[in-house]
Amino acid sequence: MLHSEYVKAAQRAIAHVQSTVRYRGLNTGGGWIRHPFESNQKIVARIFNVVESRSRSAARTEGGLDRELYIDEMARAGELSNTGNCSELSAIAFRYLESREVFPIEYFTVMRGHWDHAFVVLNRDASIPVKDFASWSYQAVVCDPLYDRAADAGHLATWYPRMFPMQDQDMFWRIEP
């Protein structure tokens, strides 16, 4: 695929998330501004989502957290509750891209103290360590359905400066062709 095709695939994934989950990002101000006359529905959806996501994220195997199962469970929690934050929305986008055979794709979870975020990266060269962001970010594409962002991964440095420096463990799960 060409770089522009990865950007278009990321945009389609975001559109899919928008059409699948009505109350996106209820942990952000923007999430509460959308659909202003549906506050009661948002509160119910958010409570259901928190309960559902926490119970589903506890999905473990004997060897620890099953990462692929975690992504499946977060996607299901977002779809069932009709809401989601970055983890659920990115999981839905990840599974959408996978179903359309857009590879390689990666689910990122970045945790920095009191700040964390999840998003999807397409077309990152796996031979380059995640921590070498400058070397891989130009060719890779970020898909961030929480904030409706699809662009060169280099934008992450501007959008989320708190996540830097990147760490190898930030890449949570990868699927290749």
mmCIF file of all heavy atoms in Angstrom, residues 6 9 15 41 47 53 57 61 85 93 97 103 118 120 123 131 162 174:
data_model
loop_
_atom_site.group_PDB
_atom_site.id
_atom_site.type_symbol
_atom_site.label_atom_id
_atom_site.label_comp_id
_atom_site.label_asym_id
_atom_site.label_seq_id
_atom_site.Cartn_x
_atom_site.Cartn_y
_atom_site.Cartn_z
ATOM 1 N N TYR A 6 -2.716 4.254 3.373
ATOM 2 C CA TYR A 6 -2.771 4.013 4.813
ATOM 3 C C TYR A 6 -3.529 5.144 5.520
ATOM 4 O O TYR A 6 -4.323 4.891 6.423
ATOM 5 C CB TYR A 6 -1.367 3.873 5.407
ATOM 6 C CG TYR A 6 -0.748 2.516 5.183
ATOM 7 C CD1 TYR A 6 0.245 2.341 4.241
ATOM 8 C CD2 TYR A 6 -1.186 1.408 5.908
ATOM 9 C CE1 TYR A 6 0.820 1.094 4.035
ATOM 10 C CE2 TYR A 6 -0.617 0.154 5.702
ATOM 11 C CZ TYR A 6 0.382 0.009 4.759
ATOM 12 O OH TYR A 6 0.941 -1.236 4.557
ATOM 13 N N ALA A 9 -7.148 4.587 4.848
ATOM 14 C CA ALA A 9 -7.634 3.459 5.652
ATOM 15 C C ALA A 9 -7.867 3.909 7.093
ATOM 16 O O ALA A 9 -8.873 3.527 7.715
ATOM 17 C CB ALA A 9 -6.638 2.302 5.605
ATOM 18 N N ALA A 15 -14.153 6.748 10.682
ATOM 19 C CA ALA A 15 -15.567 6.871 10.283
ATOM 20 C C ALA A 15 -16.361 5.665 10.779
ATOM 21 O O ALA A 15 -17.507 5.808 11.233
ATOM 22 C CB ALA A 15 -15.680 7.010 8.768
ATOM 23 N N GLN A 41 -28.578 9.597 28.770
ATOM 24 C CA GLN A 41 -28.123 8.425 28.035
ATOM 25 C C GLN A 41 -26.599 8.281 28.143
ATOM 26 O O GLN A 41 -26.074 7.169 28.252
ATOM 27 C CB GLN A 41 -28.536 8.510 26.557
ATOM 28 C CG GLN A 41 -30.030 8.478 26.336
ATOM 29 C CD GLN A 41 -30.648 9.881 26.295
ATOM 30 O OE1 GLN A 41 -30.254 10.776 27.022
ATOM 31 N NE2 GLN A 41 -31.643 10.047 25.429
ATOM 32 N N ILE A 47 -21.439 4.644 32.664
ATOM 33 C CA ILE A 47 -21.381 3.723 33.808
ATOM 34 C C ILE A 47 -21.325 2.283 33.312
ATOM 35 O O ILE A 47 -20.510 1.482 33.779
ATOM 36 C CB ILE A 47 -22.584 3.944 34.760
ATOM 37 C CG1 ILE A 47 -22.438 5.303 35.456
ATOM 38 C CG2 ILE A 47 -22.692 2.821 35.777
ATOM 39 C CD1 ILE A 47 -23.666 5.758 36.204
ATOM 40 N N SER A 53 -15.940 -2.558 30.721
ATOM 41 C CA SER A 53 -14.518 -2.521 30.371
ATOM 42 C C SER A 53 -13.649 -3.095 31.471
ATOM 43 O O SER A 53 -12.701 -3.832 31.213
ATOM 44 C CB SER A 53 -14.078 -1.092 30.055
ATOM 45 O OG SER A 53 -14.707 -0.651 28.882
ATOM 46 N N SER A 57 -11.413 -6.247 30.879
ATOM 47 C CA SER A 57 -9.962 -6.083 30.893
ATOM 48 C C SER A 57 -9.306 -7.041 31.869
ATOM 49 O O SER A 57 -8.098 -7.241 31.838
ATOM 50 C CB SER A 57 -9.570 -4.642 31.214
ATOM 51 O OG SER A 57 -9.848 -4.339 32.550
ATOM 52 N N THR A 61 -4.875 -14.963 31.035
ATOM 53 C CA THR A 61 -4.555 -16.372 30.880
ATOM 54 C C THR A 61 -3.544 -16.714 31.960
ATOM 55 O O THR A 61 -3.105 -15.845 32.712
ATOM 56 C CB THR A 61 -3.939 -16.646 29.491
ATOM 57 O OG1 THR A 61 -2.709 -15.944 29.406
ATOM 58 C CG2 THR A 61 -4.872 -16.216 28.384
ATOM 59 N N ASN A 85 -13.684 5.157 25.486
ATOM 60 C CA ASN A 85 -12.586 6.103 25.531
ATOM 61 C C ASN A 85 -11.512 5.600 24.572
ATOM 62 O O ASN A 85 -11.790 4.777 23.709
ATOM 63 C CB ASN A 85 -12.095 6.256 26.965
ATOM 64 C CG ASN A 85 -13.188 6.829 27.847
ATOM 65 O OD1 ASN A 85 -13.986 7.644 27.405
ATOM 66 N ND2 ASN A 85 -13.256 6.375 29.078
ATOM 67 N N ALA A 93 -11.246 0.355 16.025
ATOM 68 C CA ALA A 93 -10.538 0.740 14.798
ATOM 69 C C ALA A 93 -9.537 -0.339 14.387
ATOM 70 O O ALA A 93 -9.424 -0.680 13.205
ATOM 71 C CB ALA A 93 -9.820 2.075 14.999
ATOM 72 N N LEU A 97 -9.601 -2.384 10.859
ATOM 73 C CA LEU A 97 -8.477 -2.410 9.922
ATOM 74 C C LEU A 97 -8.019 -3.843 9.653
ATOM 75 O O LEU A 97 -7.729 -4.205 8.509
ATOM 76 C CB LEU A 97 -7.325 -1.561 10.460
ATOM 77 C CG LEU A 97 -7.602 -0.056 10.490
ATOM 78 C CD1 LEU A 97 -6.629 0.654 11.416
ATOM 79 C CD2 LEU A 97 -7.566 0.522 9.086
ATOM 80 N N PHE A 103 -2.395 -4.044 6.728
ATOM 81 C CA PHE A 103 -1.265 -4.477 7.554
ATOM 82 C C PHE A 103 0.001 -3.746 7.153
ATOM 83 O O PHE A 103 0.106 -3.347 6.000
ATOM 84 C CB PHE A 103 -1.040 -5.985 7.406
ATOM 85 C CG PHE A 103 -2.223 -6.827 7.789
ATOM 86 C CD1 PHE A 103 -2.864 -7.599 6.841
ATOM 87 C CD2 PHE A 103 -2.687 -6.841 9.088
ATOM 88 C CE1 PHE A 103 -3.954 -8.381 7.179
ATOM 89 C CE2 PHE A 103 -3.777 -7.624 9.436
ATOM 90 C CZ PHE A 103 -4.403 -8.392 8.481
ATOM 91 N N ALA A 118 -4.366 5.452 24.197
ATOM 92 C CA ALA A 118 -4.275 4.332 23.265
ATOM 93 C C ALA A 118 -4.632 4.843 21.872
ATOM 94 O O ALA A 118 -5.475 5.733 21.716
ATOM 95 C CB ALA A 118 -5.233 3.211 23.673
ATOM 96 N N VAL A 120 -3.875 3.624 17.313
ATOM 97 C CA VAL A 120 -3.436 2.604 16.370
ATOM 98 C C VAL A 120 -2.385 3.220 15.448
ATOM 99 O O VAL A 120 -2.490 4.390 15.071
ATOM 100 C CB VAL A 120 -4.635 2.077 15.541
ATOM 101 C CG1 VAL A 120 -4.191 1.051 14.507
ATOM 102 C CG2 VAL A 120 -5.707 1.502 16.461
ATOM 103 N N ASN A 123 1.546 0.706 9.297
ATOM 104 C CA ASN A 123 2.726 0.756 8.448
ATOM 105 C C ASN A 123 4.014 1.145 9.175
ATOM 106 O O ASN A 123 4.898 1.738 8.578
ATOM 107 C CB ASN A 123 2.486 1.701 7.257
ATOM 108 C CG ASN A 123 3.513 1.519 6.164
ATOM 109 O OD1 ASN A 123 3.930 0.409 5.869
ATOM 110 N ND2 ASN A 123 3.925 2.618 5.568
ATOM 111 N N LYS A 131 11.255 3.101 20.355
ATOM 112 C CA LYS A 131 11.897 4.254 20.993
ATOM 113 C C LYS A 131 12.649 5.136 19.995
ATOM 114 O O LYS A 131 12.935 6.284 20.291
ATOM 115 C CB LYS A 131 12.806 3.815 22.128
ATOM 116 C CG LYS A 131 13.925 2.908 21.723
ATOM 117 C CD LYS A 131 14.679 2.405 22.936
ATOM 118 C CE LYS A 131 15.708 1.369 22.529
ATOM 119 N NZ LYS A 131 16.311 0.756 23.678
ATOM 120 N N ARG A 162 3.592 14.629 25.995
ATOM 121 C CA ARG A 162 3.853 13.921 27.260
ATOM 122 C C ARG A 162 4.288 12.475 27.066
ATOM 123 O O ARG A 162 4.829 11.865 27.966
ATOM 124 C CB ARG A 162 2.601 13.914 28.140
ATOM 125 C CG ARG A 162 2.217 15.249 28.670
ATOM 126 C CD ARG A 162 1.088 15.054 29.650
ATOM 127 N NE ARG A 162 0.086 16.074 29.426
ATOM 128 C CZ ARG A 162 -1.080 16.101 30.014
ATOM 129 N NH1 ARG A 162 -1.417 15.152 30.858
ATOM 130 N NH2 ARG A 162 -1.931 17.060 29.769
ATOM 131 N N ARG A 174 0.789 -6.214 17.667
ATOM 132 C CA ARG A 174 1.061 -5.989 16.245
ATOM 133 C C ARG A 174 0.533 -7.167 15.439
ATOM 134 O O ARG A 174 0.682 -8.318 15.840
ATOM 135 C CB ARG A 174 2.558 -5.834 16.014
ATOM 136 C CG ARG A 174 2.942 -5.647 14.541
ATOM 137 C CD ARG A 174 4.453 -5.511 14.396
ATOM 138 N NE ARG A 174 4.858 -5.446 13.012
ATOM 139 C CZ ARG A 174 5.044 -4.324 12.338
ATOM 140 N NH1 ARG A 174 4.857 -3.159 12.912
ATOM 141 N NH2 ARG A 174 5.418 -4.367 11.067
#
